[in-house]
Amino acid sequence: MAAQLEHTNFTVTDPDRTAKWMCNLFDWHIRWTGDSRTTGYSVHVGTDTHYLALYAPKAGNLNAPIDNYTTQGGLNHIAVVVDDIAAMRARVEAAGFEAGEHFDYEPGQRFYFYDDDHIEYEVVQYD
């Protein structure tokens, strides 16, 4: 069996807030919440088989945002696959996020948006 990606763990300012909009937009659910590394707090949000671990360190330990595209090991974006990209774009905008440019090239269509933590998300629909 080939290895499968189970989860990704990244830092956000408010794991509960981020998990809430992810559940609303992507129809995911919260799998677990609790105390985490170095007195931090985590929320695991996703499906029964794959999830994102949203982590926040104890208060006051967040650094200023950096440009991850120029930082070795930085998070460039998180991609989700949907069946109806137009409907998801409308949902993203209704949630208060600004949907970016739409690209249509093999093997599908995509657009990008940033959340309140300046994390970029890619939404993809394969043809």
Side-chain angles (χ1 to χ4, degrees):
M1 177 175 124
Q4 296 181 28
L5 180 64
E6 183 207 24
H7 77 274
T8 299
N9 184 322
F10 57 98
T11 301
V12 298
T13 53
D14 184 340
D16 291 315
R17 180 186 69 206
T18 300
K20 182 177 179 179
W21 71 253
M22 287 180 167
C23 288
N24 290 336
L25 277 182
F26 305 140
D27 297 323
W28 290 349
H29 62 272
I30 294 172
R31 295 169 41 127
W32 177 83
T33 64
D35 294 335
S36 195
R37 184 179 194 274
T38 62
T39 68
Y41 173 72
S42 289
V43 175
H44 294 181
V45 60
T47 68
D48 289 338
T49 55
H50 305 89
Y51 68 95
L52 300 175
L54 309 173
Y55 170 78
K58 66 181 179 180
N61 278 2
L62 283 176
N63 295 325
I66 58 172
D67 182 353
N68 289 323
Y69 278 95
T70 59
T71 303
Q72 185 174 353
L75 174 67
N76 295 327
H77 65 259
I78 298 165
V80 296
V81 177
V82 299
D83 292 328
D84 185 341
I85 198 163
M88 182 55 71
R89 185 181 187 94
R91 290 175 74 176
V92 164
E93 291 173 344
F97 300 114
E98 183 178 336
E101 292 181 280
H102 180 99
F103 299 99
D104 188 3
Y105 54 86
E106 290 297 324
Q109 305 172 54
R110 64 204 73 241
F111 73 88
Y112 299 83
F113 71 95
Y114 287 89
D115 74 359
D116 297 325
D117 288 310
H118 310 287
I119 297 170
E120 184 180 42
Y121 294 82
E122 177 181 5
V123 178
V124 181
Q125 177 184 333
Y126 291 109
D127 298 328

